[in-house]
Amino acid sequence: MHSARAQEPSRGLRQNFSFLPSSSEAGGSASALLLLLLPAGVPVPPDPGCRMRPPCAAAPPVRVLRLGRAAYLDSLAAQGRCVRRHREASSSEAPHRLLLWEPSGPVFTVGLRGLDARRASAESESEERRLRALGAGFERVPRGGLATFHGPGQLVAYPVLDLRRFGLPVRGYVAALESVAVAACRRLGLPQAAALPPPYTGVWLRGRKVCAIGIHCGRHITSHGLALNCSTDLTWFDHIVPCGLEGKEVTSLSRELQRHVSVEEATEPFLAAFQEVFKCTLMEGSTAEN
């Protein structure tokens, strides 16, 4: 990511993430990229569910597009269409979107920090062949960060937002995403979800990582997002060093709560937290919109 000065996060939102070189937030065509894991935010009381608020003039509307179980490349294509439509519309007319999906199959992804051009191509190709031989996909994607895994049992959220409409710089946006994921964990019965100091940024439960974020932001429009492990097969993570953190375990909501937590169960607490943190109006959208 190319970097210029990034503004400080909004007051009251915790800053705790690694920032890659990013583009100027003042505009232009360069992109801002980063990878982090969600840290803890302000405690949020349990919520019985997510009742979407009626439209409010003061709250930017966000359309929730539920893709269900989807192939990784299909979800990227849907996200790309949303980003293009957002950029083609005027900033006052473009609807914000929140894509929610669950990967239909296993796939390893590598962000820009994992695509070091100085590495020998033979080494990179060998690593790709090794991971593909496990029966998983392998994709290089334009987001911040290193290697991670996506698979069934994950709640993946791709917000496509114009940060100017929310009055957020990139750092403030990331801090807001952090608060959303932490609040979702706590609503699901994990009040101990907490952050560790850098470089161990993120949501950690008893020393194990439960959620990661890798975003892209270009011309103020966000893409990519976060992945929350609900009932993910954690053995896939044994084949990589997730986010480059040596010796750190990965966990899931199911493992920590010692019961099965489906993506469906985690979705409504997540939406409730998103609506609260971003102070937005959530509206159900149609997949025909993407």
Side-chain angles (χ1 to χ4, degrees), residues 60-194:
V62 177
R63 295 187 183 278
V64 179
L65 304 182
R66 304 178 191 243
L67 305 182
R69 278 206 168 197
Y72 186 77
L73 292 181
D74 290 342
S75 70
L76 287 186
Q79 173 186 248
R81 289 191 293 271
C82 290
V83 171
R84 286 193 298 274
R85 290 180 180 179
H86 207 117
R87 288 176 175 165
E88 291 167 357
S90 68
S91 60
S92 61
E93 295 177 354
H96 306 278
R97 294 180 172 90
L98 173 59
L99 282 69
L100 299 180
W101 61 286
E102 176 183 2
S104 60
V107 59
F108 293 98
T109 68
V110 179
L112 295 188
R113 283 204 305 170
L115 303 179
D116 191 341
R118 294 170 295 182
R119 290 180 58 190
S121 60
E123 178 186 352
S124 177
E125 292 172 2
S126 174
E127 181 70 359
E128 178 178 346
R129 286 195 299 271
R130 181 183 71 84
L131 294 175
R132 287 186 181 278
L134 300 172
F138 182 92
E139 300 295 337
R140 296 175 172 83
V141 292
R143 60 157 173 81
L146 299 169
T148 192
F149 170 79
H150 293 299
Q154 276 185 343
L155 171 59
V156 183
Y158 285 171
V160 179
L161 312 175
D162 185 334
L163 295 185
R164 293 170 294 184
R165 298 280 302 279
F166 289 84
L168 287 172
V170 171
R171 288 179 182 266
Y173 169 63
V174 171
L177 285 182
E178 294 171 350
S179 296
V180 169
V182 170
C185 287
R186 292 179 174 179
R187 283 187 168 91
L188 286 161
L190 292 167
Q192 72 276 28

Side-chain angles (χ1 to χ4, degrees), residues 43 46 51 59 111 120 131-132 139 141 202 225-226 230 241 258 268:
R51 295 177 58 190
L131 294 175
R132 287 186 181 278
E139 300 295 337
V141 292
L226 62 83
C230 300
V241 180
Q258 297 186 3
E268 298 313 310

Side-chain angles (χ1 to χ4, degrees), residues 212-276:
I213 293 177
I215 76 159
H216 175 281
C217 183
R219 289 187 285 172
H220 310 285
I221 309 302
T222 66
S223 57
H224 294 277
L226 62 83
L228 176 64
N229 295 329
C230 300
S231 55
T232 318
D233 179 355
L234 301 177
T235 60
W236 286 103
F237 289 96
D238 295 339
H239 302 287
I240 59 173
V241 180
C243 307
L245 296 176
E246 294 275 1
K248 292 297 181 180
E249 290 185 73
V250 177
T251 191
S252 66
L253 298 176
S254 294
R255 177 179 178 181
E256 297 301 321
L257 292 170
Q258 297 186 3
R259 65 176 181 83
H260 180 76
V261 179
S262 67
V263 169
E264 291 75 16
E265 179 182 350
T267 295
E268 298 313 310
F270 177 85
L271 289 174
F274 189 96
Q275 183 166 254
E276 178 177 277

Side-chain angles (χ1 to χ4, degrees), residues 5-43:
R5 235 170 11 132
Q7 302 177 32
E8 291 303 311
S10 302
R11 187 173 182 178
L13 291 176
R14 181 174 180 179
Q15 176 187 349
N16 188 7
F17 49 88
S18 58
F19 201 58
L20 293 178
S22 80
S23 68
S24 169
E25 294 178 88
S29 60
S31 299
L33 298 170
L34 52 89
L35 179 79
L36 65 154
L37 301 176
L38 301 171
V42 177

